[in-house]
Amino acid sequence: GAVVSQHPSWVICKSGTSVKIECRSLDFQATTMFWYRQFPKQSLMLMATSNEGSKATYEQGVEKDKFLINHASLTLSTLTVTSAHPEDSSFYICSARPRGKTGWHEKLFFGSGTQLSVL
Amino acid sequence: GEDVEQSLFLSVREGDSSVINCTYTDSSSTYLYWYKQEPGAGLQLLTYIFSNMDMKQDQRLTVLLNKKDKHLSLRIADTQTGDSAIYFCAPVRGGGGNKLTFGTGTQLKVEL
């Protein structure tokens, strides 16, 4: 089955530093990847939609200069949290839609998530 | 935007049936998904239903959709300890964009 690898699974960093999270589709090409954040005991909130070769589309209220998204290839999207602060501490999850699958009856494949803790 | 509500917590005994409920507000939702999330992990698609269906059965899982009331439920038959997880319903937002809106999640705890 399709696998999405997300790395790292857990990161602790100091306030003011930047953190990069990678999302890779291992056995399929993904033209579209999605980034979510999840606070404890809350739902997933869509942050942005990442399309290969173009700029990401951010949801309302998400700072694009704070959360940099790069989708340079069909198998890799990265989310960089710039100048991280404690309020950015959260669980970040990516998902990928296989290339050629445009209908919503097709599956999205999710990464295992990254727990970010900013001290 | 769409609001999706779920009960926060459900506890059942092993072997019993579990019913997880979900209400949503966007009547133009086209597909409605159920995802399972185990601790510290990503989401696993369990099943989905098209908005023109009332029911879908998939092994131990039964999805019921009442489109008039905008109510979705997931029934797990013969619940096992391995079913303990958080369950999210996720309608596909209508009006274009094909974006999932996740419910608040229901923590299912299966007790022996």
Side-chain angles (χ1 to χ4, degrees):
Chain A
V3 176
V4 174
S5 173
Q6 193 171 335
H7 180 80
S9 56
W10 188 41
V11 58
I12 301 174
C13 68
K14 290 184 176 180
S15 186
T17 60
S18 294
V19 174
K20 181 185 282 188
I21 302 169
E22 292 187 347
C23 181
R24 291 182 186 273
S25 55
L26 296 186
D27 50 2
F28 65 95
Q29 292 182 327
T31 48
T32 304
M33 290 187 177
F34 301 90
W35 287 96
Y36 303 84
R37 68 184 297 183
Q38 182 182 30
F39 292 104
K41 300 192 187 300
Q42 293 189 26
S43 188
L44 281 75
M45 302 299 297
L46 179 64
M47 298 174 66
T49 303
S50 165
N51 292 297
E52 187 264 338
S54 63
K55 289 185 178 180
T57 303
Y58 290 81
E59 294 299 299
Q60 194 173 7
V62 178
E63 299 175 61
K64 61 181 180 181
D65 295 329
K66 171 78 171 173
F67 299 98
L68 299 178
I69 291 173
N70 184 286
H71 192 159
S73 79
L74 286 170
T75 59
L76 174 65
S77 176
T78 61
L79 167 68
T80 301
V81 183
T82 62
S83 186
H85 287 92
E87 59 264 30
D88 298 323
S89 298
S90 188
F91 192 61
Y92 293 86
I93 304 177
C94 70
S95 67
R97 179 191 293 156
R99 185 182 192 181
K101 306 294 187 184
T102 57
W104 270 100
H105 56 287
E106 304 295 346
K107 295 181 182 180
L108 274 183
F109 298 96
F110 282 80
S112 55
T114 298
Q115 180 64 55
L116 171 63
S117 296
V118 185
L119 304 178
Chain B
E2 167 134 54
D3 289 327
V4 184
E5 296 287 337
Q6 297 176 239
S7 299
L8 290 179
F9 186 78
L10 175 66
S11 177
V12 299
R13 292 175 114 178
E14 189 177 39
D16 288 349
S17 293
S18 309
V19 179
I20 301 170
N21 294 302
C22 171
T23 58
Y24 59 98
T25 57
D26 187 350
S27 58
S28 65
S29 295
T30 51
Y31 302 85
L32 301 101
Y33 290 74
W34 282 103
Y35 285 91
K36 176 184 180 182
Q37 183 183 33
E38 297 187 19
L43 273 69
Q44 171 194 355
L45 177 65
L46 284 179
T47 186
Y48 61 91
I49 189 168
F50 299 152
S51 60
N52 61 358
M53 297 169 65
D54 297 325
M55 185 183 85
K56 180 180 179 181
Q57 186 150 3
D58 185 358
Q59 298 182 331
R60 291 191 299 125
L61 305 178
T62 303
V63 180
L64 295 177
L65 174 61
N66 182 327
K67 198 174 177 184
K68 174 176 170 289
D69 294 339
K70 296 194 275 290
H71 181 267
L72 182 72
S73 68
L74 173 69
R75 178 177 180 271
I76 305 173
D78 187 26
T79 313
Q80 303 297 308
T81 54
D83 295 324
S84 293
I86 300 175
Y87 290 81
F88 292 96
C89 72
V92 174
R93 221 185 286 171
N98 286 334
K99 295 174 181 174
L100 288 172
T101 300
F102 286 88
T104 47
T106 299
Q107 172 82 56
L108 174 65
K109 183 178 178 183
V110 182
E111 298 173 327
L112 297 172

